[in-house]
Amino acid sequence: MGRRLTSVPGSRSRPSPYELLLLAVVLGLFVWSAISPHDRFTWVLEVFPVIIGVPLLVWVYPRFRFTPLVATLIALHAVILMVGGKYTYAEVPLGFWMARTFHFARNHYDRIGHLAQGFVPALVAREVLIRRSPLAGTGWVAFVVVC
């Protein structure tokens, strides 16, 4: 405790192959989700965080690199949003599979989205606070992240 990270261990100025793969997957799924979505307006609303977030992350990248875990979770969250936007959350095939397999009364894909919308931003905030905040090394980081 009290260790203050200023950069990702082993960070380089250029993106790693893994980071480039994550970006390619997100961009590829973005294009896929934009082709004939169930409802264009819903797609825009659901994918808007990705439209804002990816350029923001690329712009911030030279000054702040997320750990591979958080980068993966951000990409996974983007995938969840884009799939939900493509089909609308109530019509995602994975949700229907879950309903059949676990005998749910309805498609619960929205719960996956809600989990990601709470969990991933909390880990992003934790990483930013640990590396760039005067709260680093104190118990306040956990308190602020949970809040």
Side-chain angles (χ1 to χ4, degrees):
M1 196 149 172
R3 187 176 119 206
R4 187 174 176 132
L5 294 174
T6 55
S7 65
V8 175
S11 65
R12 300 174 307 276
S13 60
R14 293 189 317 183
S16 71
Y18 183 69
E19 292 166 328
L20 292 174
L21 174 66
L22 288 177
L23 182 60
V25 167
V26 168
L27 293 177
L29 278 169
F30 178 81
V31 170
W32 166 80
S33 73
I35 298 170
S36 300
H38 183 269
D39 175 31
R40 179 68 60 188
F41 182 69
T42 300
W43 177 83
V44 170
L45 292 176
E46 297 294 351
V47 177
F48 192 71
V50 178
I51 294 169
I52 297 298
V54 170
L56 180 65
L57 290 171
V58 169
W59 180 68
V60 167
Y61 184 83
R63 294 171 298 286
F64 191 92
R65 290 179 73 168
F66 286 101
T67 59
L69 172 64
V70 172
T72 302
L73 290 172
I74 291 170
L76 182 61
H77 188 199
V79 167
I80 291 167
L81 291 172
M82 291 183 292
V83 170
K86 171 79 171 179
Y87 295 105
T88 74
Y89 279 78
E91 301 292 325
V92 173
L94 174 63
F96 290 126
W97 173 84
M98 289 172 19
R100 282 190 310 275
T101 303
F102 301 111
H103 308 289
F104 294 150
R106 66 175 186 87
N107 182 331
H108 285 292
Y109 185 80
D110 62 325
R111 292 189 179 188
I112 296 171
H114 292 138
L115 175 69
Q117 287 174 0
F119 185 69
V120 176
L123 290 179
V124 169
R126 178 189 176 275
E127 195 158 302
V128 170
L129 289 172
I130 285 174
R131 289 200 263 152
R132 298 292 171 103
S133 165
L135 299 177
T138 70
W140 284 103
V141 170
F143 176 76
V144 170
V145 167
V146 171
C147 285

